[in-house]
Amino acid sequence: MINIPRGTQDILPETSSQWRYIESRLHELMAQYNYQEIRTPIFESTELFARGVGDSTDVVQKEMYTFKDKGDRSITLRPEGTAAVVRSYIENKMQGLANQPVKLYYNGPMFRYERKQKGRYRQFNQFGVEAIGAENPSIDAEVLAMVMHIYQSFGLKNLKLVINSIGDAASRIEYQEALKAHFKPVIHNYCSDCQKRIDTNPMRILDCKVDRDKPEMKTAPAITEYLNETSKAYFEAVKAHLDRLNIPYVVDPNLVRGLDYYTHTAFEVMMDSSDYDGAITTLCGGGRYNGLLELLDGPQQTGIGFALSIERLLLALEAEGIELPMHNHIDLFIATMGQSADNYAVVLLNELRHAGIKADKDYLGRKLKGQMKQADRLAARYTIVIGDQELEQQQVAIKNMTTGESETIKFDDITKYINGGL
Ligand code: HAM
């Protein structure tokens, strides 16, 4: 038997209907916020992520699915969406569009070679948003408000919005120096990756999964102490908007995020529930990226966005015991007695489906009792039983499965009846 690859999952029909519900709700919400969908390829040039996400990040160093194609190009299955959306923005010269900022969203599979864990997969589905072309605290606040609105619209309550500012490039240079000085005397006790990070990108030490419990991690200087006046003012303005919107948040000066492109606002939404034991508690993450477009040879534009995985959203719903209001019923089940009735049902079913009715019948030659059980399993709203008499009279008793009441109607009137027009 060939098994599914490690870290991936089949989404079976019962769960895929939850996915469809979530995705259609997300499309509706995006229309409310005036964001438009973008679809980029599943694979991109490796260089896009090496440069965009950052050569010294775990994502690029350890987690990418990279291969040579038959033309000897290095290709990578996308580990995230931001670099690709920014590439597309630049390539399609979206800075020239009349509508600015350009507000985009995407929804699709991403790939990271990670250790399998509850809530952590090697193929996962990110829904993400990128607003490019405005450096204004009110758009940061819009994106934060949208994230919370998304989760709340599915009924989630135990959420914590954690925010930080990681400042502009100038603030970070000073901060990186402070981190180097802090870790230098003890770096020999740290993993080999951190020993490299101290020179290449000391902020990544704070994100190390191996050394995270070392004492110097807790006493490390916080970026907030190194923010310059511009960065501080920007952060204050974002927080003031959140206050105006009555959106509760916690400031965590140690939140640095795992990707290199962030500047100023960085945030995560966490599950704030003790029932969520053992699983990953970060539901989504995002932030502002002011230098990314130029880094990818684009115009001087800035952006902000976030991404969440539908897998973790589903885990959070499960942890809070929330059932999505889905309607998995069919409209009509046709039970038959005898071959002529079954032949008739084949045609009737076809007509009803063309008229927009969700309908089904038996295919296993079940007895009438078995057919009615099948109707129950399919949660049919109505059932009919066709036998010789019904065929002769061209009418049938249609039973409302909720009320138990029956009414005799003509075959030709079934659609109208189900649609409430009879
Ligand atoms: P990220 O924090 O790497 O950010 O991922 C964002 C979210 O994707 C996570 O919070 C989580 O919900 C989900 N996720 C990540 N890895 C996995 C995994 N292995 N299994 C399941 N879910 C996962 C980004 O990717 C940025 N591009 C977000 C962003 C957009 N920043 C600005 N714009």
Side-chain angles (χ1 to χ4, degrees):
M1 191 177 72
I2 299 168
N3 293 321
I4 192 168
R6 225 180 148 70
T8 65
Q9 52 179 353
D10 294 319
I11 298 159
L12 302 177
E14 201 184 316
T15 318
S16 67
S17 57
Q18 297 180 324
W19 280 68
R20 277 204 313 282
Y21 176 86
I22 290 173
E23 287 169 343
S24 64
R25 188 77 192 94
L26 287 169
H27 288 294
E28 281 166 18
L29 281 163
M30 287 308 101
Q32 282 162 234
Y33 283 82
N34 190 28
Y35 283 64
Q36 291 184 317
E37 190 182 13
I38 180 167
R39 301 186 188 204
T40 62
I42 302 268
F43 59 83
E44 297 269 357
S45 296
T46 303
E47 196 196 344
L48 173 66
F49 303 111
R51 257 212 267 168
V53 173
D55 245 337
S56 58
T57 58
D58 273 2
V59 169
V60 172
Q61 285 279 313
K62 302 178 184 168
E63 296 170 1
M64 295 206 303
Y65 282 88
T66 298
F67 57 94
K68 282 274 171 78
D69 72 4
K70 292 199 183 345
D72 208 32
R73 302 171 193 90
S74 182
I75 296 290
T76 293
L77 299 186
R78 60 183 186 188
E80 60 103 50
T82 311
V85 169
V86 167
R87 188 229 5 97
S88 176
Y89 175 98
I90 297 169
E91 209 165 339
N92 293 293
K93 301 190 173 50
M94 291 190 212
Q95 72 274 16
L97 294 176
N99 280 335
Q100 296 291 335
V102 178
K103 298 181 179 188
L104 302 166
Y105 74 95
Y106 50 91
N107 177 43
M110 307 287 162
F111 306 84
R112 295 185 192 175
Y113 190 79
E114 294 202 77
R115 203 163 54 78
K116 193 181 171 311
Q117 215 178 324
K118 192 169 180 189
R120 180 166 281 159
Y121 305 93
R122 291 183 178 167
Q123 175 175 334
F124 56 99
N125 195 96
Q126 269 189 352
F127 167 83
V129 152
E130 313 294 346
I132 306 174
E135 189 174 3
N136 184 326
S138 69
I139 198 144
D140 296 41
E142 171 175 291
V143 168
L144 288 160
M146 179 204 284
V147 170
M148 298 315 280
H149 188 178
I150 288 175
Y151 285 115
Q152 281 152 2
S153 76
F154 293 112
L156 286 170
K157 294 204 173 63
N158 302 318
L159 301 171
K160 188 163 70 173
L161 172 63
V162 185
I163 62 169
N164 192 21
S165 169
I166 47 182
D168 56 12
S171 308
R172 264 202 327 278
I173 292 171
E174 250 190 82
Y175 180 54
Q176 303 265 35
E177 287 309 315
L179 283 177
K180 265 188 203 174
H182 176 77
F183 285 108
K184 200 96 201 175
V186 290
I187 199 68
H188 55 275
N189 298 327
Y190 280 61
C191 72
S192 57
D193 283 338
C194 282
Q195 295 188 13
K196 281 184 222 135
R197 287 171 180 142
I198 193 154
D199 296 315
T200 55
N201 191 349
M203 266 170 83
R204 290 272 75 84
I205 299 178
L206 299 175
D207 212 35
C208 180
K209 289 173 189 123
V210 181
D211 290 317
R212 66 167 155 226
D213 296 324
K214 294 256 160 64
E216 301 78 22
M217 288 285 198
K218 290 184 191 77
T219 54
I223 179 76
T224 24
E225 297 158 31
Y226 291 83
L227 295 183
N228 57 21
E229 289 311 314
T230 323
S231 303
K232 266 190 217 158
Y234 198 92
F235 194 34
E236 288 309 314
V238 173
K239 288 191 288 182
H241 278 311
L242 291 178
D243 293 337
R244 247 169 243 129
L245 291 164
N246 284 323
I247 296 175
Y249 57 87
V250 180
V251 177
D252 177 356
N254 293 320
L255 180 85
V256 291
R257 310 263 312 121
L259 314 168
D260 273 353
Y261 45 65
Y262 292 111
T263 55
H264 292 287
T265 316
F267 62 93
E268 291 184 349
V269 177
M270 322 271 291
M271 275 298 279
D272 196 13
S273 156
S274 53
D275 305 340
Y276 203 54
D277 57 358
I280 307 232
T281 53
T282 304
L283 294 182
C284 94
R288 173 160 279 285
Y289 41 89
N290 282 5
L292 181 58
L293 278 92
E294 286 150 281
L295 189 69
L296 296 174
D297 308 321
Q300 258 199 355
Q301 293 286 0
T302 67
I304 177 162
F306 73 88
L308 62 87
S309 69
I310 305 225
E311 287 84 352
R312 288 195 196 168
L313 170 57
L314 284 167
L315 282 175
L317 290 169
E318 192 188 312
E320 288 201 22
I322 295 169
E323 298 231 357
L324 296 174
M326 288 170 317
H327 306 292
N328 281 332
H329 58 72
I330 62 166
D331 297 316
L332 178 72
F333 187 84
I334 305 179
T336 57
M337 291 187 298
Q339 190 58 51
S340 316
D342 194 61
N343 293 346
Y344 188 81
V346 170
V347 177
L348 179 62
L349 198 51
N350 189 50
E351 282 170 10
L352 290 171
R353 287 169 174 167
H354 279 266
I357 302 291
K358 291 188 237 164
D360 212 347
K361 71 183 261 299
D362 168 63
Y363 301 93
L364 300 181
R366 293 183 180 95
K367 299 230 164 58
L368 188 57
K369 206 169 155 199
Q371 294 188 50
M372 296 320 279
K373 271 200 189 144
Q374 178 67 359
D376 272 346
R377 275 192 291 270
L378 296 174
R381 288 168 55 215
Y382 296 94
T383 51
I384 56 175
V385 182
I386 309 178
D388 292 340
Q389 198 186 329
E390 284 75 16
L391 288 182
E392 203 175 300
Q393 296 173 354
Q394 282 294 298
Q395 57 181 26
V396 68
I398 184 159
K399 183 172 176 186
N400 180 325
M401 300 301 279
T402 322
T403 62
E405 282 163 17
S406 286
E407 231 178 295
T408 299
I409 59 169
K410 293 205 168 60
F411 281 128
D412 285 346
D413 289 335
I414 293 178
T415 303
K416 246 196 231 160
Y417 185 85
I418 290 178
N419 288 333
L422 198 69

